[in-house]
Amino acid sequence: MEALRQDDPRRFGRFTALARFDEQASAVRYVARDTASGETALVTAARPELAAVPVFSRRFRAEARTAERLAGGWVSPPLETGKAAGTPGDGPEPLWTAAGYVAALPLDEAVGIAGPLPERVVRVLGAGIAETLSRVHATGAALQGLAPGTVLLAADGPRLTAFGPLGAAASAEAGPEDRLSVRLGYLTPEQIAGEEVSAASDLFVLGLLLAYAATGATPFTEGPAEGASRRIAEDEPELDGVPQELRELIASCLAKDPAERPSAGTVAAELALEGAAGLARGGWLPEPLAAAVADQEARVRALEVPAAGGAETPGTDGAPGADGVPGTDGVPGAYRAPGAAGTPGTDGAPGAAGTRDAEEAPGAETAGPGGIEEDRGTTRFLNTGPRPPRNDTPTTQLALPQGAAAPPPPALAPTAQQAPAAPGASAAPGTPAAHSAPAAPGGAPQPGHPYAAPAAPYAAPGSVPPAGPPHGGPTPYPAAALPAGAGGAGAGGGGPMVSLPLPPAPAPAPDPGASRRTLLTIAAAAVGGLVVGGGAMAALGSGETAAATDDKPAPKPRRTLPGQAPEPRWTYTHPASEAPPLTAAVWQDELLVLTGESQAAAVDLRTGKRRWQRADAAKGQAALAAGTDLVFVASPTEFLWLAPKDGKVVHRVRYTEAFDDLAVGPLAGSSGPVIWFTASHTVTVKAPKPKKGKKKGKDKQVPEAFFLAYDIVRRKELWRTPVPAGRAPGTPSYRVAAERSADILVRQRSASLTPAEVRAAKRKGSVRSFDQKTGKLLWTKQYGAATPEAATAGDEDGTLYAAVGTDLEAFEADTAKPLWRVEGTEGSVYGTPLIAGPLVHTTESSQSVGAVERESGRLVWRRSTEVPAPGNAPSITLSSSEKTLIAADAVQVTAFAADSGERLWKFQDIGAAEPKGATVSAPYRVLTVGKTAIVQRERSFYAFPVA
């Protein structure tokens, strides 16, 4: 971290900036605090000159929405997003987004402090990243956000902070006519070949990161920099320094053919079958890193809000406008690695944890007074390694874009190729130290940046600077090693440029002479490059799919491992034009019937294709099978029987006609053709006749409630029993906890209990028994200290299982006699158990599931889903064979072997990924049919094979 600069924004919505956390190519990150609540945030503010480019602002917002969809797990949840920030001057105001602050070190700085990381640390790091990637890849998208500066190491696990190419860019340039060029700090073999990036591209970069974490160096280091792209495309990676146990996996990630790389789920499972959170439990960072993280956290807590209108942050050494960088020695949070010395004039800034010098240039590490030397034999990944002194003068006024197509004007200084400077030569007056050091003879990259392009020309004193310079560090691959851009070798930039999957924008009519094939050729020649502006684009990866021009060999099968989710048999995405489904149910192993606000729809279980939709069944409850040839749906006003072939209404029974104007409540349960539900209506109770001389009282409107049984095959009411009315409007909400041969056991949901009922029960829940044939109420009982909210389930043998405090207890249903107790996790509560055969499967809010014996209560197994606690207890479902137990929560779906608790696989996705899509926060739901588990998250459905 470092002190705020004079031109830094001071406020971001409710947050006040305290210090700079680091710099990136496209943004600056600040530590900020909400003075009202004390909440600390990490604010990412786009650079103003880039924010003014429309295509940049659209992409920035799209990546912010991706962060919102991924929130949870190893992604800090966004707190607020704004369009403008308060700045001291009148310049452009940046876009910004704020996420919860977590004390953490960027990966490159962690390696700088501790050196190569131990195997366990690499496993936790890789598993955490892969778990997040698997959620992205489930939608068919690629993240393109991995870099040593975007992956952070926190006390409890890794954190990912970039969610697209802007966040991971090595440089970003605003050009004329609102054009934007973005260069990534890495290449993959497919990018070198001019192909589009894919999910497999993320795995290649993950392999680079893991190799770097394990060895402190990149796996493609031998040889001259100009051959870097050839080595990446053709040579085998150098992995001798990688621990033997990790070598094969990392090598598979670095496979040249994307089809041979493992999936993110496979990598996560092989690195940490118990999950990154499980492997990190008890501490995972080496002592130097743990101390650095703790020190950073303490210093951030000590940061104080700057005085209103002040340009300095307490603890700075230099005043605004002073020569050099304002000192950061006294800034809380400026962590120095043990033994790291400050550089004269910088007060130790190069050693500060969290500092990312995104504006350093090739050649900045030239030895000399105030400079930094590095052994040429040490090759570092991307922009890592010792950092040169920095200058507070805005570089936007001093630097030209690298590889500018136009020849330099006479006022410009000669380029490095034109006049190589001697080592130690001084820059022209007024040029920042970080950008003025000359390039080595011949344009060779400087130590610390082995793949850096030769230095670009810089403006001489008195010259007019160009608009829209690039930001960020040098690209780690030389321009000479890449295919020429669209305009030839000298045009269009000198480094790898990422193809941005930009949100749709209005575009002018294309040139009639330019075909789709031409656009693809232009993009491919630029190694996946993209220059966009003014609505015109020449892009690969614009969201369209080009027709294949030749046949490609079928991809080789991916490696599969325990822990990897199986490939879904099909996927289905509910149309964005319709509201998300309210309910989902399986009909006769043939249809997945979805009901929503506007209509019901059916999806073929064999193909995942929609078969029909029907507006009559809008807002219906879960569909049921009415015999073998009809689909039953209970809508808000009537019962409907639909034809499974086309959804046509075959029968309808209106509540007003069949149930004496009763308002029908939610279904309580079903068994075969019989459904049970509650209903109510309001009756007028006349006031009693007053005594002589007294005024007559008012009539009262009183709700009357009933519990009903109905046969949906014969379309006939079986019985109706009066029950106590519930909370207004009067219909109680029941749930059938168990069905036995003679009766059914029913719990009333606590939300529908009246306050009088809660007081009378003394905060204890009750279970009612109704006769199966007549509906007569047989008895009402309480079980131990089980509350009205306690999860409860029973079996056909007369045993009731209820959550009592943190434990699970079994009772004789008819006598309320306790049978056994299973102790739960401290601070946790049990969810609704699931009875199958000799076992009772359990779920807890500590994010654990398990199994106990029905007869004795002996614990058979208990496993964590590895989802960060606390939260609601996962809902659990058994496969049709009862061999697989599937737990679903708001973060993921986890499958276990039902008999042993072995974790089989887990699955995550991020829901709809459209650029303007809403944040997906709905929990997962699971339905099972035959050998298939249907996993739903809001609009997305996946059909997984299960045992």
Side-chain angles (χ1 to χ4, degrees), residues 266-303:
T266 297
V267 173
E270 185 162 335
L271 290 173
L273 188 58
E274 68 273 49
L279 188 57
R281 186 171 293 127
W284 69 294
L285 294 177
E287 181 57 35
L289 299 185
V293 170
D295 183 81
Q296 182 192 113
E297 184 175 21
R299 291 177 180 270
V300 166
R301 283 200 304 266
L303 285 171

Side-chain angles (χ1 to χ4, degrees), residues 716-728:
K716 177 182 179 181
E717 181 180 325
L718 301 180
W719 46 257
R720 182 186 308 191
T721 299
V723 294
R727 189 183 294 267

Side-chain angles (χ1 to χ4, degrees), residues 663-686:
V664 174
L667 299 184
S670 66
S671 178
V674 179
I675 61 172
W676 298 284
F677 59 94
T678 53
S680 68
H681 63 182
T682 301
V683 297
T684 301
V685 178
K686 293 187 174 294

Side-chain angles (χ1 to χ4, degrees), residues 812-831:
E812 283 186 357
D814 294 318
T815 64
K817 175 184 176 182
L819 299 176
W820 48 256
R821 173 193 294 260
V822 176
E823 292 185 358
T825 307
E826 183 178 357
S828 178
V829 295
Y830 277 92

Side-chain angles (χ1 to χ4, degrees), residues 479-531:
L482 304 178
M497 292 196 299
V498 63
S499 174
L500 298 181
L502 297 167
D511 184 349
S515 66
R516 172 68 177 164
R517 179 64 181 169
T518 303
L519 294 180
L520 290 173
T521 304
I522 291 172
V527 196
L530 173 65
V531 178

Side-chain angles (χ1 to χ4, degrees), residues 48-72:
E49 65 276 15
L50 296 178
V53 180
V55 69
F56 176 92
S57 63
R58 290 196 297 272
R59 181 67 220 183
F60 185 91
R61 294 189 184 98
E63 293 189 12
R65 285 191 290 270
T66 300
E68 292 175 355
R69 296 186 187 104
L70 285 170

